[in-house]
Amino acid sequence: DNIEYNGGTTGLDAYWADVPVVSAPMEKFSARYGASFNAGAGLQMLTARGWDDYAHVAAALANRPEKLDRIRQALQRTKLSTPLFDTQRFAASYGRLLSMLWDTSFLQGGGTDTERYHTVLAGAGDA
C-alpha cells in the first residue's frame, strides 16, 4: 500500500482476492485506509508504524512465503465473518447509528443542528 495515498477500493479488491496488504497510517485521511482495512480484516500485524517498520514487515513477508501463504489462507477462511466484509453486521450497525442520530437530533428537540459524531460501524463486539 502506498504510504501517502492508500489503495481505497483497490485495497478492498486486494483483500477480496485474498491478497494481504501491508500499510502504514500517516497523518492524512487518505493515508489511513489501509490500517482501517487491516483492523477490519483482523490483520493488524500488517499495519506498520512508519517507513522503517513498513519496509521490515514487507521484507519479512517477502522472505517467508510460507507465512504469507498462511495469512492468505486465513483471510480466505475468515473474510466473510470479519467486520470488513460482513455486510449484514454493517447494515445492522448503520441502522442503529441512524436511529441514534434521529433520536438525538429530532426527538429530543435538537432540531437540525449539526453535531459531530465519532462512530465505529460493525465493530468486533457488534452482533
Side-chain angles (χ1 to χ4, degrees), residues 25-114:
M26 296 294 168
E27 290 297 316
K28 294 179 184 176
F29 176 75
S30 61
R32 294 192 301 270
Y33 293 121
S36 294
F37 296 160
N38 281 340
L43 296 172
Q44 294 89 333
M45 78 286 259
L46 298 179
T47 299
R49 296 177 307 272
W51 279 107
D52 290 339
D53 193 37
Y54 179 86
H56 174 76
V57 171
L61 289 174
N63 291 321
R64 297 189 55 208
E66 71 284 351
K67 182 176 181 177
L68 181 58
D69 193 48
R70 281 195 307 273
I71 294 170
R72 283 186 177 138
Q73 290 173 10
L75 184 57
Q76 185 177 29
R77 279 192 318 273
T78 63
K79 74 179 164 198
L80 292 179
S81 63
T82 64
L84 189 60
F85 289 111
D86 187 342
T87 55
Q88 289 182 337
R89 187 186 325 181
F90 177 85
S93 295
Y94 189 65
R96 285 192 302 274
L97 171 64
L98 292 177
S99 293
M100 185 217 40
L101 291 172
W102 175 263
D103 290 347
T104 301
S105 286
F106 293 99
L107 298 180
Q108 296 179 1
T112 59
D113 290 342
T114 302

Side-chain angles (χ1 to χ4, degrees), residues 93 97 100-101 117-121:
S93 295
L97 171 64
M100 185 217 40
L101 291 172
Y117 293 92
H118 176 79
T119 304
V120 177
L121 295 177

